[in-house]
Amino acid sequence: QRGKSIKLAREYAILEAQKATYRDTNALSQTFSELGRVNKGSKNAVKKGLTTLVEGILPFRKTPANILARGLEYSPLGLMNGINQAVYGVQKGRKTAAEAIDTLSAGLTGTGLLALGVYLAAEGLVRGLGGDDDDKRKMEEMMGHQAYALELPDGTSATLDWMAPEALPFFVGVNL
């Protein structure tokens, strides 16, 4: 019994570590991963060329797909998915209560971060990418302002782009 519990805990820890480093396998990353392999064995030159082109443009397809998947998890869509899992998935036996709570928590956290980003940007405390005016953006950069940064009242600018995976919903809110 104890050995089985340790094994389950280890498997869970590995899965969570893979999610945190964008190395897990999910439906989206699997689809992106298989994108370039579809025509690999083909003798058709056009199909081979297409495969080579896809692999040249997207050599690492799994990581961007996982970043997108985490972004969806930590968003209002993730919150709606969590509610769906809690209401219907658990009842029908497709999800455990723990899985539904985990999904619900990620969606709620991301939605809260999105709202926080909107609020802090409206208060002028956080900067997003900026507008479409490249000259204005360059001038602000020369004055010490940075994109995706906390703007303190004393003029100090500290980047927040290191916050992952939370940065995605937060800066979506900032840019909104």
Side-chain angles (χ1 to χ4, degrees):
Q1 179 70 356
R2 178 179 153 93
K4 185 177 180 182
S5 297
I6 291 173
K7 182 181 178 193
L8 290 173
R10 183 177 290 126
E11 288 173 2
Y12 179 76
I14 289 169
L15 179 64
E16 290 300 309
Q18 288 175 336
K19 282 175 65 174
T21 56
Y22 307 112
R23 298 185 68 218
D24 61 315
T25 300
N26 53 55
L28 188 61
S29 67
Q30 190 67 33
T31 302
F32 270 71
S33 226
E34 292 171 358
L35 197 60
R37 291 188 225 145
V38 174
N39 300 311
K40 205 165 198 144
S42 175
K43 294 184 184 211
N44 183 325
V46 174
K47 288 183 180 180
K48 278 187 175 182
L50 181 61
T51 300
T52 305
L53 180 68
V54 167
E55 288 178 349
I57 293 171
L58 293 169
F60 307 105
R61 293 177 290 277
K62 196 171 181 179
T63 302
N66 281 332
I67 291 171
L68 180 60
R70 290 297 85 71
L72 291 173
E73 271 180 33
Y74 286 87
S75 74
L77 291 175
L79 177 59
M80 288 188 288
N81 185 30
I83 291 169
N84 181 44
Q85 285 182 14
V87 173
Y88 301 110
V90 174
Q91 185 180 24
K92 293 182 180 179
R94 290 190 299 243
K95 295 287 179 184
T96 66
E99 289 170 329
I101 290 169
D102 192 42
T103 303
L104 193 58
S105 299
L108 196 55
T109 300
T111 301
L113 285 168
L114 187 135
L116 180 65
V118 169
Y119 173 74
L120 292 177
E123 292 295 315
L125 294 172
V126 178
R127 294 174 54 91
L129 184 59
D132 294 333
D133 189 351
D134 289 338
D135 292 334
K136 182 180 177 186
R137 191 178 317 140
K138 286 178 185 175
M139 179 62 115
E140 288 175 346
E141 285 176 10
M142 289 191 310
M143 294 174 63
H145 299 285
Q146 304 174 72
Y148 302 111
L150 178 65
E151 294 282 326
L152 299 175
D154 68 355
T156 305
S157 178
T159 63
L160 299 173
D161 53 2
W162 50 267
M163 298 185 329
E166 294 81 10
L168 188 59
F170 180 74
F171 285 114
V172 165
V174 169
N175 285 319
L176 283 175

